[in-house]
Amino acid sequence: MLRKVILAYGVLALVGGVALAAAGVLTALVFYLCVNGAIVIAALLFERGRYRPTITPGGTWQETGERFVDPSTGQLMKVRYNPQTGARDYVPVQPPPRPSPRGGGR
């Protein structure tokens, strides 16, 4: 939701700056709106990959014992650490298997 509001602000600022420039208004406001709108839009487009780095599957991963709930998915995550590279990896915790409804008799 917040991402959409910020994107709308960026588009509105950019369109407003272009409209004022087309109307013949050449002031610092036009420059500010165009630059501000372009920066906001570019930041939203390029920030996607910043917080989830790609992790190579090789190497020796050690579990750190850290657990947290991912706020975007609501899933429990565990943290792994690679001492060779210093990289951290966030892996979903698999829920334990459910017992069969028959009661697992003998």
Side-chain angles (χ1 to χ4, degrees):
M1 173 71 180
L2 180 61
R3 181 178 168 83
K4 290 180 183 178
V5 171
I6 294 172
L7 182 61
Y9 166 77
V11 169
L12 186 64
L14 192 58
V15 168
V18 170
L20 287 174
V25 178
L26 295 175
T27 63
L29 177 63
V30 171
F31 179 75
Y32 172 79
L33 287 174
C34 288
V35 169
N36 191 11
I39 289 173
V40 167
I41 292 170
L44 283 174
L45 293 177
F46 293 116
E47 66 92 23
R48 276 310 227 183
R50 178 163 175 84
Y51 299 109
R52 302 238 181 204
T54 56
I55 301 295
T56 55
T60 57
W61 292 95
Q62 300 173 353
E63 289 196 24
T64 63
E66 297 174 63
R67 302 283 190 269
F68 67 95
V69 176
D70 185 355
S72 61
T73 63
Q75 186 169 12
L76 183 64
M77 306 290 282
K78 65 182 176 181
V79 181
R80 298 187 309 169
Y81 172 73
N82 187 336
Q84 295 169 341
T85 63
R88 293 170 60 92
D89 186 19
Y90 307 100
V91 181
V93 174
Q94 300 298 327
R98 295 181 139 189
S100 70
R102 297 181 196 164
R106 298 177 199 178

